[in-house]
Structures are given as C-alpha cells and as structure tokens.
Amino acid sequence: PGAEKPETARLAFGAFDPEGERGPKPGDTTHINSVWVEGGVIYIGGVHLARLIAIGRDGPGAYARIPTWTHNARPFRGGVLANSTGSDSIGWFDRTGNLLRRYEIPQFPAESLEHTDLPQDYARQAFGRGLCLSDGPGGAGSALLIGGSSPASLSAYRLETGERLKTVTLTMDVRNAVHGLEIWPFD
C-alpha cells in the first residue's frame, strides 16, 4: 500500500497469549480505536500511536503520520481522514500529517447541554467518533463527509469545501456520541 518501513524498532507485532508470561505490561499504551480494511491491507490507528499503521503481506509499516488523539482514521485520496478528537474537528491529512482540510464539529451553548458535570475525559461535547463518506444527492462530484459526535449528533459536510450543511442532534446529553457510521445498503 505504499507503507513506509517502521521508523523505530518499537513497532513490532506478534501473537499474544493473554495467559502466558510474555507480553506487554498492563496499561493503555496505544489505545487502538480504529481498524480499516482496504485492498487486502489492514490499517490501524490509536489515540497514542501518531501513525496510521498498515499491515500488508510484507508485515507492518507506518502508512502515514496522524495527530495523537484521533479516532476513525482511514486512508483517503493518498492521505488520511480522521476524527481529530484533540481539536474537536474532523481532519483530512496528507501522509506527513499536514492538515489539508478541517471540518468543524458543532458545539452548543453550555446551558443547553445535559450532564456537563462529568469529567471531560469521560463525557464532553464535540467528541468526534463516527465517520463515513457518501456520494451525496447529486452523485459523484457532490461527495459528503458525515461525522458523528457528542451530544448524539450527525453532521454532513461538503467534502471538497469543508462547509457543514446540516446537523441533526438526537439528545443534548453529552454522555451520548454517535459511533460506527456506515452508508446502507452496504457494498
């Protein structure tokens, strides 16, 4: 897939037996949260990885740099699309990690939100978690990016301009975020 070779020896993969004595120390060191399969290659992203990893026939390699604190990372047009959770936006990045386009996740007045007394690492608004693409109502050339976020919202953006066209919010409870989006029927 054009995956670069790993930059450090720290990138290693192998079988893990959770009942065995060998393995990683307990802890959340990568926080893997996105897996995408395309063209026989598995792409993996995580909050602490700062890379989208490609696992192909030749083994693992860094496909692209991405910011930490991303979700739903996937290859797209020679770069990467991802929820940039740390910046309350969706980002389209080139493979070196440079931001090509930013899609703002909607934010609401604090007084309209519910359960804002919870710690922000548990629940907060503008936490982007779902991501998919659609051809849009005009077919090819009117591509839409659809993002899910907290409080339970879906937003549609013009892919090429970043303009947010519409947001539908189901609840103002920040504990709810829209995850795992896909266009149906599936191909």
Side-chain angles (χ1 to χ4, degrees), residues 39-64:
V41 178
I42 302 168
Y43 296 89
I44 298 172
V47 166
H48 303 300
L49 284 177
R51 300 278 187 282
L52 184 61
I53 305 300
I55 304 173
R57 292 186 187 273
D58 296 331
Y63 173 77

Side-chain angles (χ1 to χ4, degrees), residues 53-187:
I53 305 300
I55 304 173
R57 292 186 187 273
D58 296 331
Y63 173 77
R65 290 179 182 264
I66 56 176
T68 57
W69 292 101
T70 60
H71 289 79
N72 312 101
R74 59 178 281 189
F76 180 72
R77 293 185 183 174
V80 175
L81 276 178
N83 270 307
S84 185
T85 310
S87 67
D88 297 339
S89 64
I90 299 168
W92 179 358
F93 303 93
D94 68 16
R95 289 184 61 183
T96 63
N98 292 314
L99 182 65
L100 301 174
R101 181 150 301 111
R102 179 182 171 104
Y103 307 85
E104 294 291 331
I105 293 176
Q107 296 204 25
F108 303 92
E111 60 274 6
S112 68
L113 300 170
E114 299 171 12
H115 298 286
T116 57
D117 56 330
L118 297 170
Q120 287 210 349
D121 63 342
Y122 180 75
R124 65 177 177 81
Q125 75 163 316
F127 190 94
R129 288 299 300 266
L131 185 65
C132 69
L133 296 165
S134 171
D135 285 338
S142 65
L144 299 177
L145 172 64
I146 302 166
S149 60
S150 171
S153 299
L154 290 165
S155 297
Y157 306 83
R158 286 195 199 282
L159 180 64
E160 301 302 332
T161 66
E163 174 190 6
R164 186 165 19 115
L165 301 172
K166 180 145 182 114
T167 297
V168 175
T169 301
L170 305 174
T171 176
M172 296 307 280
D173 186 338
V174 297
R175 298 175 299 176
N176 299 296
V178 175
H179 294 55
L181 295 175
E182 187 61 66
I183 301 298
W184 186 85
F186 309 116
D187 290 331

